[in-house]
Amino acid sequence: SGRSPAAQARMEVGSVVKAVSPMPREGIIRPDFGVDTRKAATVIAPPPDVLPGSEPVPRFSLSIIAAGDWLWLEERDGMPLTTEQVQLVQAMAQALVLSGASARANPLAAESVQAAKPVIAQFDWPIHNNRQLDQGEEAARAGVAAFVSRRLEEHRCRGLVLLGASCARRVPLEAITTVAVSTASSADILANPAIKPQVWRDLQPLRGTT
């Protein structure tokens, strides 16, 4: 060939280097494993009792008092129902009975109502711990409506009294087929006796049910 052995060797080495030189970056084909590396991040799974997109579970307790011809509801707000609160509800129920036309026509019936003791119950939500069942706000309102309706029928109540604004928000009145009024809570009345005249005015629609 006319070339020296050294020159011939350099040519062969150069050919090998060109043959194994890397391809341009834009020509590299990477295997697709279905992973978008641009969005790679640590994913923390939600706890098993919190379902994605689920609403918070409302938690509350209602005291239900059957006194006179009415059912009285009050939200407990984490506090126990006191003897003074029960006595106040009983006094309001008796005042309604004594001011009604039926009491004036039948004094003995009024006395029997005064002697009767209030019947107290409690409604707690949620009523179970099964997260697979609906425990949201609408389910809670439906549960309250069903419970109140049963109590109204059981005690043959002629009306419903919602004591306190928070209690009024719990009860879907459109699902209750009786006269219903809303007024201050018994706790507020005891704390501020000056509001009693307004409370009595709030209760006036019930006088027609006696």
Side-chain angles (χ1 to χ4, degrees):
S1 61
R3 295 187 181 92
S4 64
Q8 184 67 29
R10 285 195 298 273
M11 289 180 62
E12 292 176 357
V13 170
S15 299
V16 172
V17 171
K18 290 180 180 179
V20 299
S21 62
M23 296 175 60
R25 295 185 61 84
E26 60 271 19
I28 298 177
I29 301 176
R30 296 184 176 88
D32 183 4
F33 295 107
V35 178
D36 187 349
T37 57
R38 293 172 299 176
K39 298 181 180 179
T42 302
V43 178
I44 301 176
D49 60 343
V50 179
L51 301 178
S54 62
E55 60 179 312
V57 176
R59 299 182 181 277
F60 59 90
S61 294
L62 297 177
S63 291
I64 296 93
I65 305 173
D69 289 335
W70 307 277
L71 200 65
W72 309 71
L73 272 67
E74 182 161 356
E75 187 165 354
R76 294 179 57 176
D77 294 326
M79 301 297 292
L81 189 69
T82 66
T83 301
E84 290 77 10
Q85 287 175 283
V86 176
Q87 291 174 343
L88 174 61
V89 169
Q90 186 175 20
M92 290 190 289
Q94 291 174 353
L96 282 170
V97 170
L98 293 174
S99 65
S102 60
R104 292 191 294 270
N106 187 356
L108 293 179
E111 291 179 5
S112 66
V113 171
Q114 284 184 286
K117 292 183 179 180
V119 179
I120 304 171
Q122 182 174 319
F123 177 88
D124 297 322
W125 187 268
I127 58 177
H128 53 72
N129 295 319
N130 188 348
R131 285 283 186 167
Q132 300 303 315
L133 301 178
D134 187 4
Q135 297 177 329
E137 192 69 39
E138 288 305 313
R141 287 168 61 83
V144 171
F147 184 86
V148 170
S149 296
R150 287 195 301 270
R151 290 287 170 170
L152 286 169
E153 182 177 358
E154 177 183 346
H155 297 288
R156 299 181 180 179
C157 296
R158 300 180 183 179
L160 177 66
V161 185
L162 305 177
L163 299 167
S166 61
C167 179
R169 289 192 295 268
R170 302 294 185 192
V171 183
L173 293 181
E174 65 276 7
I176 304 297
T177 58
T178 188
V179 178
V181 299
S182 179
T183 190
S185 68
S186 63
D188 288 342
I189 298 171
L190 290 171
N192 184 14
I195 66 176
K196 286 184 177 181
Q198 179 58 53
V199 172
W200 182 244
R201 287 191 290 271
D202 294 338
L203 297 177
Q204 290 310 293
L206 299 179
R207 293 182 63 186
T209 65
T210 57

